[in-house]
C-alpha cells in the first residue's frame, strides 16, 4: 500500500498476512490467560486475610478482569504505537489508513468491534471473512476505525550502503521484471520450509527457463533452489551494471550519507521509546534536518534506480520518522468537563432519531412481554427461570416489609455487587454499539433480549403481587442505566446506517466517519453506567423506605430530562465543541522548535 507523506514522498507499506495476524493474536491470548491466572491466584491469597480483604479483593478482581478483557488490546495499541506484545513478536503494527501512526480513538474503535469480529465465538469467522474479502485485509474493526495492520520491519532494519557495481560483467539474461521476481524469491527463501521451498523453486526455475536456457539446470548435484541462488548471485552485478552511472550515483550517495542515516536511526529509536519530548532541543533540530534529508534521499535513490534493499530500508525508516513526527498525543481528561456539560448532550440530541428508535425497540418489547407474562403466569415461570421465580415467591412468603435483595446482600458484598453490575452493563453496552456494524442486527438483538428480560421479570413479580418491591429496587438506578443502554443502542443503529444508507460516501468511508462521530455517544453511555452501577450496588439494596427510593429515582429522571433537553443550548450558535477528542495532533516540529 502506497502512502504519500506531507513531504510529498511515497512510503510503501506491506500489509500483514492472515497467518501472521493469527499468530500474533495467539501470543496475546497466551499472555491474557497468564494475566488472568495471576489475578485469580492473587485473589485466593487476599481472601485468606479475612472477609473485608476478600470483599475488596473480589471487587478489584472483577474490575481487573473486565479491564483485561476489553482493555488489553485497546491500551497496548493506543499507548504502544499500534503494537501489542503479540504484534511486536510477529513484526506487525497497526496504522491509520493514511499511513500515520495509530490514534487512540482508532485503537478504541477497532477493539470495541473485536467482539463482533470473533463471532461466532471463539472461531473469529466474521473477522477472517472480512480480512479475506477486504482489498486492504481489514477486519470489521479496521473498517470502522480506518486502520490497517502492516509489517513493521523498521526496528530491525539497518540502513546499509551498497557497493558500486563492477565494471564489465556481461549482459543480463533476465528482464527487470524477471530479476525482481528472482530477487523476491531469494529474499523469502529462508522463511520457507524444505518441501515448500523445493516446490516453489522448481516452478520458478521452469518459468525462467526461456530466458536462461540450459546453462542453469538442476541435476543430481544441484537442487532448483541452489541454481536460483547462483543465478541471483551472477545476475545481480549484471543488472547493477545495466543501470550504469545511475546505480553508481546511488551507491556513492549511500556511502556519503551513511553517517547521517545512522544518526537519524538512533534518534528515531530514542524517540519511539520516549516520544519527541525525550529529545533535547539540539536533537530535535537534528531530527528535523535529518528527516527532511532522508525523504529527499529516498526520492533520489528511486530516481537513480537503486536496488530494492536500499530503497526498502529507506522507506521503512522514513515511515518510522513520519509516524514519530505526526504521532498523536493522548488527551483523555482534557476538556472532559465541557464535553459532559455541552458536547455529550448535544450529540444525543443530534442523533435523537437512532436513539429514539433504540428506545422504542427496548421498551416496546419489554411492555409487550410484561403484558404477556402478566396474563399467562406459566409463561412467566418459563422465561424468568427458577432462581428468579423462587426469589419472587420468597418475597411474598416473608415479612411484608421485606424488600428485594435487602436480606441477601450484606454490607461487605455491596462493593462486589456494584463492580459486577457495572462491568456487566458496560459489556452489554459495548456489544450494543459493536453489533451495529452488522447493519444494526447485533444492536437489535441486544435490545430485544434485554427488553424481553426486563418485561418478563417485572411481569413475574406482578403476578406474585410484589411489583412495587422490585420497582423500589430498580427506580434509584434504573432511569440512568436503561437510558444509557438506549443511547448505546442508538449509536449502534447509527453505525449500521453507514451500511444501509451511506449517502454520497462509500460504505467504508461512511463507517469511518460515523464511527468516529458516534463514539462520543458510547463513551457518554459508559460514564452513565458507571454512575448507575455505583447506585445499584451501594444504594439500591439499602433498607430504606420505598418512598425514599421512588423519590430518588424520580429525581434522576427529572435531571436526565433537563440534562439532555437543555444542556448546551445556551451557546448553541457557537462552534461545535470537540466530541471528547482522545487525540490531539502534535504540533509540527518546526513550530515546536520555534516556540
Amino acid at each position: 500500500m502506497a502512502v504519500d507523506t506531507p513531504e510529498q514522498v511515497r512510503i510503501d507499506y506491506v500489509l500483514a498476512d492472515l497467518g501472521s495476524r493469527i499468530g500474533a493474536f495467539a501470543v496475546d491470548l497466551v499472555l491474557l490467560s497468564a494475566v488472568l491466572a495471576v489475578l485469580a491466584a492473587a485473589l485466593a491469597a487476599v481472601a485468606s486475610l479475612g472477609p473485608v480483604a476478600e470483599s475488596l479483593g473480589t471487587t478489584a478482581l472483577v474490575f481487573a478482569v473486565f479491564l483485561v478483557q476489553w482493555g488489553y488490546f485497546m491500551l497496548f495499541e493506543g499507548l504502544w504505537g499500534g503494537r501489542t506484545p503479540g504484534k511486536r513478536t510477529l513484526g506487525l503494527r497497526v496504522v491509520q489508513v493514511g499511513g500515520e501512526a495509530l490514534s487512540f480513538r482508532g485503537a478504541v474503535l477497532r477493539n470495541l468491534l473485536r467482539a463482533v469480529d470473533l463471532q461466532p465465538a471463539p472461531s473469529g469467522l466474521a473477522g477472517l471473512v472480512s480480512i479475506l474479502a477486504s482489498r486492504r485485509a481489514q477486519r470489521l474493526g479496521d473498517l470502522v476505525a480506518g486502520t490497517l495492520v502492516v509489517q513493521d520491519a523498521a526496528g530491525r532494519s539497518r540502513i546499509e550502503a551498497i557497493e558500486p557495481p563492477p565494471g564489465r560483467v556481461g549482459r543480463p539474461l533476465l528482464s527487470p521484471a524477471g530479476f525482481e521476481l528472482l530477487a523476491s524469491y531469494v529474499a523469502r527463501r529462508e522463511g520457507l520450509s524444505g518441501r515448500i521451498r523445493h516446490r516453489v523453486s522448481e516452478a520458478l526455475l521452469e518459468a525462467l527457463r526461456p530466458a536462461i536456457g540450459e546453462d542453469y539446470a538442476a541435476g543430481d548435484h544441484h537442487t532448483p533452489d541452489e541454481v536460483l541462488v547462483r543465478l541471483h548471485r551472477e545476475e545481480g552485478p549484471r543488472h547493477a551494471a545495466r543501470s550504469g552511472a545511475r546505480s553508481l550515483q546511488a551507491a556513492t550517495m549511500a556511502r556519503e550519507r551513511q553517517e547521517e542515516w545512522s544518526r537519524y536511526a538512533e534518534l528515531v529509536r530514542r524517540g519511539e521509546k520516549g516520544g519527541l519530548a525525550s529529545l533535547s532541543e539540539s536533537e530535535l533540530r537534528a531530527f528535523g534536518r535529518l528527516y527532511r534529508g532522508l525523504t529527499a534521499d529516498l526520492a533520489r535513490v528511486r530516481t537513480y534506480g537503486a536496488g530494492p534493499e536500499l530503497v526498502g530500508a529507506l522507506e521503512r525508516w522514513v515511515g518510522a520518522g513520519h509516524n514519530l513526527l505526526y504521532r498523536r498525543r493522548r488527551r483523555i481528561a482534557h476538556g472532559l468537563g465541557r464535553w459532559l456539560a455541552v458536547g455529550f448532550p448535544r450529540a444525543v440530541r443530534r442523533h435523537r432519531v437512532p436513539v429514539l428508535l433504540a428506545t422504542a425497540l427496548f421498551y416496546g418489547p419489554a411492555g409487550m412481554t410484561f403484558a404477556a407474562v402478566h396474563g399467562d403466569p406459566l409463561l412467566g415461570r418459563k422465561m424468568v427461570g427458577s432462581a428468579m421465580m423462587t426469589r419472587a415467591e420468597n418475597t411474598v412468603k416473608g415479612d411484608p416489609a421485606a424488600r428485594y435483595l435487602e436480606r441477601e446482600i450484606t454490607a461487605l458484598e455491596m462493593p462486589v455487587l456494584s463492580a459486577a453490575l457495572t462491568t456487566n452493563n458496560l459489556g452489554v453496552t459495548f456489544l450494543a454499539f459493536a453489533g451495529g456494524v452488522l447493519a444494526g442486527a447485533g444492536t437489535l438483538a441486544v435490545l430485544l433480549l434485554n427488553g424481553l428480560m426486563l418485561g418478563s421479570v417485572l411481569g413475574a413479580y406482578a403476578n406474585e403481587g410484589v411489583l412495587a418491591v422490585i420497582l423500589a429496587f430498580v427506580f434509584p438506578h434504573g432511569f440512568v442505566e436503561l437510558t444509557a443502554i438506549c443511547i448505546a443502542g442508538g449509536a449502534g443503529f447509527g453505525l449500521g446506517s453507514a451500511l444501509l444508507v451511506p449517502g454520497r460516501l462509500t460504505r467504508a468511508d461512511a463507517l469511518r466517519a460515523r464511527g468516529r462521530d458516534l463514539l462520543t455517544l458510547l463513551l457518554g453511555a459508559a460514564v452513565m453506567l458507571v454512575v448507575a452501577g455505583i447506585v445499584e450496588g451501594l444504594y439500591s439494596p439499602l433498607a430504606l423506605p420505598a418512598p425514599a427510593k421512588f423519590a430518588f429515582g424520580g429525581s434522576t429522571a427529572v435531571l436526565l430530562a433537563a440534562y439532555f433537553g437543555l444542556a448546551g443550548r445556551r451557546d448553541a450558535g457557537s462552534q461545535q465543541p470537540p466530541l471528547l477528542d482522545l487525540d490531539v495532533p502534535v504540533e509540527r516540529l518546526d513550530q515546536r522548535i520555534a516556540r
Side-chain angles (χ1 to χ4, degrees):
M1 183 195 70
V3 172
D4 291 325
T5 72
E7 293 78 24
Q8 299 302 310
V9 175
R10 190 185 82 242
I11 303 176
D12 293 326
Y13 287 101
V14 178
L15 296 175
D17 59 86
L18 183 60
S20 59
R21 293 179 69 166
I22 294 176
F25 185 64
V27 172
D28 287 321
L29 282 183
V30 171
L31 292 177
L32 272 170
S33 301
V35 171
L36 292 175
V38 171
L39 290 175
L43 174 63
V46 171
S48 63
L49 301 178
V52 175
E54 182 180 5
S55 175
L56 296 177
T58 304
T59 302
L61 177 66
V62 171
F63 282 117
V65 170
F66 178 81
L67 182 62
V68 168
Q69 290 177 336
W70 286 94
Y72 173 89
F73 293 95
M74 193 181 299
L75 293 176
F76 264 117
E77 290 180 359
L79 302 177
W80 210 19
R83 295 174 298 175
T84 62
K87 288 184 176 65
R88 184 168 185 173
T89 302
L90 272 292
L92 306 180
R93 184 188 295 269
V94 184
V95 298
Q96 299 293 143
V97 290
E100 63 270 17
L102 177 68
S103 67
F104 195 80
R105 183 189 300 272
V108 171
L109 280 172
R110 77 184 303 270
N111 288 297
L112 283 174
L113 272 292
R114 189 180 295 276
V116 178
D117 280 308
L118 289 175
Q119 300 305 315
S123 67
L125 185 61
L128 294 177
V129 171
S130 178
I131 290 173
L132 294 174
S134 171
R135 181 170 56 89
R136 294 178 172 178
Q138 294 171 290
R139 62 177 177 85
L140 296 175
D142 291 318
L143 291 172
V144 175
T147 55
L148 300 167
V149 182
V150 299
Q151 294 182 13
D152 178 36
R156 302 190 299 271
S157 300
R158 296 173 54 200
I159 307 179
E160 298 176 341
I162 59 174
E163 295 296 328
R168 300 181 61 84
V169 291
R171 186 175 181 177
L173 301 177
L174 299 176
S175 66
F179 180 71
E180 184 178 355
L181 179 62
L182 175 64
S184 298
Y185 166 76
V186 172
R188 297 187 59 186
R189 57 186 290 273
E190 295 295 336
L192 302 177
S193 64
R195 182 175 60 86
I196 299 298
R197 185 191 301 181
H198 178 76
R199 190 175 69 191
V200 173
S201 62
E202 194 173 44
L204 179 58
L205 185 61
E206 187 62 28
L208 298 178
R209 179 67 60 200
I212 61 178
E214 296 299 328
D215 293 338
Y216 296 89
D220 296 336
H221 302 291
H222 298 286
T223 64
D225 175 72
E226 293 172 339
V227 172
L228 290 175
V229 170
R230 179 167 66 91
L231 175 62
H232 178 265
R233 183 172 60 250
E234 296 175 0
E235 275 288 280
R238 297 170 186 161
H239 277 265
R242 188 179 195 180
S243 301
R246 292 199 303 169
S247 292
L248 184 59
Q249 283 179 300
T252 302
M253 186 192 75
R255 283 196 297 268
E256 292 175 350
R257 300 281 292 165
Q258 183 63 41
E259 185 176 347
E260 290 201 348
W261 290 351
S262 299
R263 171 62 173 159
Y264 167 82
E266 176 61 27
L267 291 175
V268 169
R269 291 191 186 96
R270 289 180 51 195
E272 286 181 334
K273 292 180 180 179
L276 290 177
S278 65
L279 304 181
S280 65
E281 181 177 344
S282 61
E283 289 172 333
L284 280 172
R285 292 180 182 275
F287 173 74
R289 175 180 58 82
L290 293 170
Y291 173 74
R292 288 190 293 268
L294 193 65
T295 59
D297 292 340
L298 176 57
R300 282 197 291 269
V301 297
R302 285 190 177 127
T303 302
Y304 295 155
E309 295 84 2
L310 178 60
V311 173
L314 291 181
E315 279 185 341
R316 288 189 289 271
W317 281 102
V318 168
H322 169 268
N323 289 346
L324 181 61
L325 179 60
Y326 297 100
R327 177 182 293 174
R328 292 176 178 268
R329 184 176 60 222
R330 268 65 79 181
R331 186 185 72 174
I332 298 177
H334 185 71
L336 179 61
R338 176 161 174 76
W339 170 74
L340 285 173
V342 178
F344 177 46
R346 279 193 193 175
V348 172
R349 290 195 296 271
R350 189 170 65 255
H351 298 287
R352 59 185 175 276
V353 172
V355 171
L356 290 175
L357 176 62
T359 303
L361 291 173
F362 176 77
Y363 284 105
M368 289 186 288
T369 305
F370 174 83
V373 169
H374 191 43
D376 184 0
L378 292 178
L379 176 63
R381 289 181 175 274
K382 294 178 181 179
M383 294 190 66
V384 302
S386 59
M388 182 63 71
M389 203 66 221
T390 301
R391 180 174 291 152
E393 293 171 348
N394 290 341
T395 301
V396 176
K397 297 174 182 177
D399 186 346
R403 299 175 179 87
Y404 181 76
L405 289 181
E406 291 176 5
R407 295 186 179 276
E408 300 179 34
I409 303 300
T410 65
L412 288 178
E413 292 172 328
M414 285 184 180
V416 180
L417 176 65
S418 178
L421 293 171
T422 299
T423 54
N424 175 74
N425 291 335
L426 285 172
V428 170
T429 303
F430 292 163
L431 288 176
F433 172 75
V437 77
L438 302 176
T443 302
L444 178 62
V446 171
L447 293 173
L448 289 179
L449 287 174
N450 283 273
L452 293 174
M453 184 185 304
L454 176 64
S456 61
V457 170
L458 294 181
Y461 269 76
N463 290 339
E464 300 296 332
V466 288
L467 179 61
V469 175
I470 192 171
L471 288 180
F473 176 83
V474 172
F475 247 64
H477 63 270
F479 289 104
V480 177
E481 178 182 304
L482 300 181
T483 301
I485 292 176
C486 291
I487 290 174
F493 284 138
L495 193 62
S497 69
L499 296 176
L500 299 175
V501 192
R504 295 179 179 271
L505 300 175
T506 65
R507 285 179 170 80
D509 290 339
L511 277 174
R512 287 198 297 271
R514 296 181 195 180
R516 177 183 175 87
D517 185 35
L518 292 164
L519 181 59
T520 192
L521 293 183
L522 182 66
L523 295 177
V527 173
M528 294 174 64
L529 287 173
V530 171
V531 174
I534 294 173
V535 175
E536 186 175 5
L538 303 180
Y539 179 82
S540 295
L542 293 178
L544 298 174
K549 294 188 176 182
F550 283 118
F552 185 94
S555 64
T556 62
V558 173
L559 290 175
L560 282 175
Y563 174 64
F564 289 116
L566 302 176
R569 289 189 181 276
R570 177 176 299 179
D571 53 352
S574 63
Q575 185 179 2
Q576 177 69 28
L579 302 179
L580 189 60
D581 276 336
L582 300 181
D583 313 286
V584 177
V586 174
E587 296 83 3
R588 289 294 300 272
L589 186 64
D590 296 338
Q591 296 173 352
R592 178 178 171 185
I593 293 175
R595 187 172 70 250

